Amino acid sequence: MMKRTAAAALFLMLSVSAFAQTLPVPTSIQEAYAKGTRSKSGKPGPAYWQNIASYQLKANFNPLSRELKGQAEIVYVNNSPDTLKQLWFKLYPNLYQKGGNVKTKIALKDLGPGVELSSVQVNGKAIAQDELQIAGTNMHTNIAALAPGQSLKLKMDYQYVLNKGSHMRTGQVNDSAHFVAYFFPRIAVYDDIDGWNKYPYTGEEEFYNDFCNFKAEITVPKDYVVWATGDLLNPKAVFRKEIAGRLGRAEETDEVLDVITATDLQQKQVTSTKAFNTYIFEAKNVTDFVFATSNHYLWKSSSLIVDSLTKRRIRVDAAFNPIHKDYHEVIDFTRKTVYLMSHVFPKWPFPYAHETVFDGLDQMEYPMMVNDNPVEKRADAITLTVHEVFHTLFPFYMGTNETKYGWMDEGWATLGEWLLAPMIDTSLVDDYGVESTAISSGTKNDVPIVTLTPDLKGVGTFTNSYPKPGMGYLFVKDYLGDELFIKALHHYMKTWQGKHPMPFDFFYCMNEASGKNLDWFWKRWFFEDGITDMAIKAVVKTAAGYQVTIANKSSKPLPIDLNLEYADGSSAQLHRSIGVWEKGDPAIDIDLPTLKTLKRVVLGSVHVPDKDKSDNTFKVK
């Protein structure tokens, strides 16, 4: 039982209006409401739209020279109400272009000419080189007016050299293994909030892409295997009969199979005997397409049912260098992650036909693909696998704008890591980022979570994207209870999957589906700054037992977890959700009815940041 102190009641009378404020909706979102593209319920408005493209990609990749020669044929549909007179593109490999605009340090030896476009055609008409305005990873050109509802056809021939060093989400892994991402020119997002997405890729902020359809032909030399986004359409044409057979069996069994073994590699009995093999993949309604290739990687594969109603089964893969011992278990971690995502949290059937974790040099996610570095500790391999695979839902199933709101996907992946990793290994306690959040709270770079990602500095680039939003989601889950939280989250996912939700769409979807106005929490946790700190102010004996007074030394709502130690050696735990701070009380009293003698009270738990722990222990006299 809880009751407010007199001071708390007075404080409430003076400040109730402040805590009742609605969320500060920016002008761009208010304009979207007025235009009908979005709504205050969190749902897309009746006039919501998004553009789409279909890509036919051909890439000839030389692993020795790292040269990629490509062709992209694109059909782009303008579903917006606007007549487009320009097209904006992303040339992500220009991160490694000499003189480019990058924040991330790239060695001088790894810089080169970037993407070289030999031919660009729009509706069959050549675009002159001087009409292509290229600035780092952004490119734009004028076009004949593209009216609403109309489409155009693009054809682009290009080439670039994949980076050997300064591996930033893509590049050479070793002499004969490469992870190749962002390898084709793509049309930037044109949306109802900002128009063209003109944020340059600087190596730090991540991505924002439209949902598109891809058909890709990847050509590599004999003995090189290609893993990629999408379904492989021609396994029998590129693999030896036995390899193709194993892959087919893996798609039908819970057992982990060795699709490519050390013996297969040693005997060079993996791919077709042709000098070059072309792997053909297809992926529909996804935000990106990537591939990876190697001639010396093992391949473990299995499958599992992700939808109990339809019995739909998906395949999981691990492709890795056999010298990396941790990777021999990654297939198990991936399989368990996909199972837990589908059946435990967030109880959403894995949406794609496969998921491949590739042994690379980064910790980065893509649709149906993950590029993960090897690690020394088993616990790190688990948490890393969970985190990156969880990204399948955010930002790929839910097409969030990572260039502006990194927290809308990284926070969810962090929460997934906290919740699911200990289910894979019960000895594991994952407190990723909690202490960093506590220590840095209230400091210079501790800004509100909704601060645009490019504007974050110092420790805020980490805490604002990962642990702070993860805690926000976790605390609301605790407050609503698992059943109601899942109901609200599913409403958000059903409403916005395959679309581009913005922060307010998420906040208001959760409010509507939960039946609770959570603006009091969203505002204080996501829109305001301040320290995260609580304290035990007093423990006093009462006629019924004890009364514990907990002070919140900031405006941040935090769950309360007390460990109660009694004189007879026994202990008990008490928990209160963020709901105790809903009215903005600076302190609350918690009554503990007990006949036992209380010896000590300790405040705190794994995922609750507390800057000053010196006042978290109270010895009862």
Side-chain angles (χ1 to χ4, degrees):
M1 172 178 160
M2 296 169 293
K3 59 183 180 181
R4 298 187 186 93
T5 63
L10 177 61
F11 180 87
L12 175 62
M13 293 173 60
L14 295 175
S15 60
V16 65
S17 60
F19 287 104
Q21 288 179 3
T22 56
L23 301 185
V25 181
T27 301
S28 60
I29 302 299
Q30 293 180 24
E31 291 174 350
Y33 295 154
K35 291 185 295 186
T37 57
R38 296 172 194 262
S39 70
K40 295 179 181 179
S41 70
K43 296 177 182 178
Y48 179 81
W49 56 267
Q50 61 193 55
N51 291 349
I52 190 172
S54 294
Y55 289 77
Q56 293 272 352
L57 304 174
K58 293 182 180 179
N60 192 314
F61 180 64
N62 184 335
L64 296 180
S65 66
R66 308 186 317 283
E67 184 179 51
L68 187 146
K69 293 184 178 179
Q71 183 181 89
E73 295 188 22
I74 310 168
V75 177
Y76 182 69
V77 182
N78 178 22
N79 291 320
S80 82
D82 307 321
T83 296
L84 303 180
K85 298 181 180 180
Q86 284 187 333
L87 284 183
W88 281 73
F89 298 83
K90 298 297 180 182
L91 303 178
Y92 290 128
N94 276 357
L95 181 71
Y96 294 89
Q97 185 182 49
K98 289 181 180 178
N101 176 27
V102 298
K103 292 182 181 178
T104 304
K105 186 176 182 180
I106 293 177
L108 291 176
K109 65 179 181 179
D110 296 326
L111 297 175
V115 178
E116 299 178 73
L117 291 157
S118 57
S119 173
V120 177
Q121 298 178 26
V122 178
N123 288 332
K125 180 182 178 182
I127 302 294
Q129 290 290 327
D130 61 3
E131 294 181 67
L132 301 174
Q133 305 298 313
I134 301 176
T137 56
N138 280 346
M139 178 178 79
H140 70 275
T141 187
N142 294 328
I143 58 170
L146 183 64
Q150 299 299 305
S151 64
L152 58 75
K153 294 182 180 180
L154 285 144
K155 184 175 181 181
M156 311 174 81
D157 294 294
Y158 66 96
Q159 65 182 36
Y160 76 96
V161 177
L162 183 72
N163 52 297
K164 180 177 182 178
S166 301
H167 191 108
M168 179 56 60
R169 305 185 174 110
T170 183
Q172 177 173 303
V173 178
N174 57 45
D175 288 343
S176 53
H178 302 77
F179 197 96
V180 188
Y182 326 121
F183 66 92
F184 56 94
R186 76 188 66 208
I187 301 177
V189 174
Y190 184 83
D191 69 22
D192 63 312
I193 302 298
D194 297 317
W196 289 110
N197 180 271
K198 299 179 182 180
Y199 286 88
Y201 175 48
T202 66
E204 289 191 359
E205 302 84 9
E206 294 181 10
F207 306 95
Y208 183 37
N209 298 314
D210 274 321
F211 286 86
C212 299
N213 299 315
F214 295 93
K215 184 84 173 284
E217 300 180 14
I218 313 297
T219 301
V220 291
K222 182 169 70 78
D223 298 328
Y224 277 84
V225 177
V226 174
W227 297 267
T229 300
D231 299 322
L232 177 61
L233 301 184
N234 62 335
K236 294 180 179 179
V238 293
F239 290 131
R240 300 293 178 99
K241 181 179 179 180
E242 180 59 28
I243 303 300
R246 293 174 195 165
L247 181 59
R249 289 193 295 276
E251 294 180 341
E252 300 174 349
T253 180
D254 291 348
E255 182 184 356
V256 174
L257 301 181
D258 293 307
V259 177
I260 297 177
T261 68
T263 301
D264 297 327
L265 295 170
Q266 184 178 12
Q267 297 178 354
K268 295 187 181 298
Q269 296 290 314
V270 176
T271 70
S272 161
T273 57
K274 292 179 290 187
F276 295 90
N277 287 301
T278 298
Y279 294 73
I280 303 175
F281 296 90
E282 185 174 44
K284 295 181 178 180
N285 200 34
V286 295
T287 57
D288 203 356
F289 185 95
V290 303
F291 73 91
T293 186
S294 173
N295 67 357
H296 68 282
Y297 271 25
L298 301 179
W299 183 356
K300 289 182 178 290
S301 186
S302 180
S303 63
L304 67 154
I305 292 174
V306 296
D307 191 326
S308 300
L309 294 177
T310 65
K311 305 301 180 184
R312 181 167 61 87
R313 181 177 286 271
I314 74 114
R315 193 185 79 238
V316 294
D317 304 309
F320 60 98
N321 190 328
I323 67 172
H324 296 145
K325 302 304 179 185
D326 65 307
Y327 253 94
H328 290 265
E329 279 195 277
V330 163
I331 185 67
D332 298 316
F333 304 152
T334 306
R335 196 177 189 285
K336 290 174 181 175
T337 299
V338 170
Y339 175 85
L340 291 169
M341 288 171 60
S342 301
H343 301 288
V344 179
F345 181 82
K347 295 184 179 180
W348 193 274
F350 197 83
Y352 302 116
H354 76 84
E355 179 76 354
T356 300
V357 180
F358 187 83
D359 180 359
L361 292 176
D362 213 286
Q363 301 181 356
M364 187 62 192
E365 69 282 353
Y366 311 85
M368 303 177 228
M369 294 283 287
V370 168
N371 175 10
D372 271 353
N373 59 281
V375 293
E376 293 293 327
K377 298 179 181 178
R378 186 173 186 270
D380 292 341
I382 294 172
T383 56
L384 177 56
T385 301
V386 174
H387 185 103
E388 304 307 339
V389 173
F390 204 91
H391 272 301
T392 297
L393 299 179
F394 312 89
F396 302 130
Y397 195 61
M398 314 292 291
T400 56
N401 184 349
E402 299 175 275
T403 62
K404 293 174 67 176
Y405 312 113
W407 59 269
M408 290 189 73
D409 71 297
E410 294 296 355
W412 284 112
T414 301
L415 177 62
E417 176 187 333
W418 288 342
L419 296 178
L420 303 188
M423 297 181 191
I424 296 175
D425 183 342
T426 55
S427 68
L428 196 155
V429 177
D430 188 355
D431 59 356
Y432 178 62
V434 178
E435 191 60 21
S436 297
T437 300
I439 294 172
S440 63
S441 68
T443 61
K444 176 183 176 182
N445 293 320
D446 178 38
V447 293
I449 294 172
V450 295
T451 303
L452 295 186
T453 299
D455 296 335
L456 299 176
K457 294 179 175 62
V459 69
T461 61
F462 168 67
T463 57
N464 265 34
S465 297
Y466 294 82
K468 283 169 63 178
M471 291 170 197
Y473 304 143
L474 181 65
F475 298 163
V476 170
K477 177 176 179 290
D478 176 50
Y479 172 68
L480 294 178
D482 288 350
E483 184 176 349
L484 186 55
F485 180 80
I486 289 293
K487 175 188 174 185
L489 179 57
H490 281 193
H491 170 70
Y492 167 58
M493 295 177 70
K494 289 174 184 175
T495 301
W496 285 99
Q497 69 89 25
K499 300 181 178 69
H500 294 311
M502 300 298 167
F504 292 89
D505 302 319
F506 165 70
F507 295 138
Y508 293 150
C509 267
M510 294 295 287
N511 286 359
E512 181 177 76
S514 68
K516 294 180 179 293
N517 187 342
L518 297 167
D519 287 358
W520 66 271
F521 178 75
W522 304 136
K523 185 174 186 294
R524 290 151 69 183
W525 191 264
F526 287 86
F527 291 83
E528 297 176 358
D529 53 15
I531 61 170
T532 53
D533 196 10
M534 293 190 296
I536 303 175
K537 298 301 292 183
V539 179
V540 298
K541 189 76 175 71
T542 65
Y546 294 88
Q547 186 179 83
V548 181
T549 301
I550 306 296
N552 190 340
K553 296 191 284 185
S554 78
S555 67
K556 296 290 188 185
L558 296 165
I560 295 171
D561 289 280
L562 298 178
N563 187 62
L564 310 171
E565 300 176 9
Y566 295 99
D568 63 4
S570 64
S571 64
Q573 286 71 45
L574 181 144
H575 174 77
R576 295 290 184 269
S577 77
I578 54 172
V580 299
W581 308 113
E582 182 170 352
K583 301 303 181 182
D585 300 331
I588 62 165
D589 295 332
I590 302 176
D591 289 333
L592 305 174
T594 180
L595 298 176
K596 293 183 178 182
T597 300
L598 190 60
K599 182 180 178 182
R600 192 169 76 143
V601 180
V602 180
L603 170 68
S605 62
V606 172
H607 295 118
V608 178
D610 199 303
K611 185 162 189 171
D612 179 9
K613 297 182 179 63
S614 65
D615 47 17
N616 285 19
T617 299
F618 195 99
K619 293 182 179 180
V620 183
K621 298 179 180 178

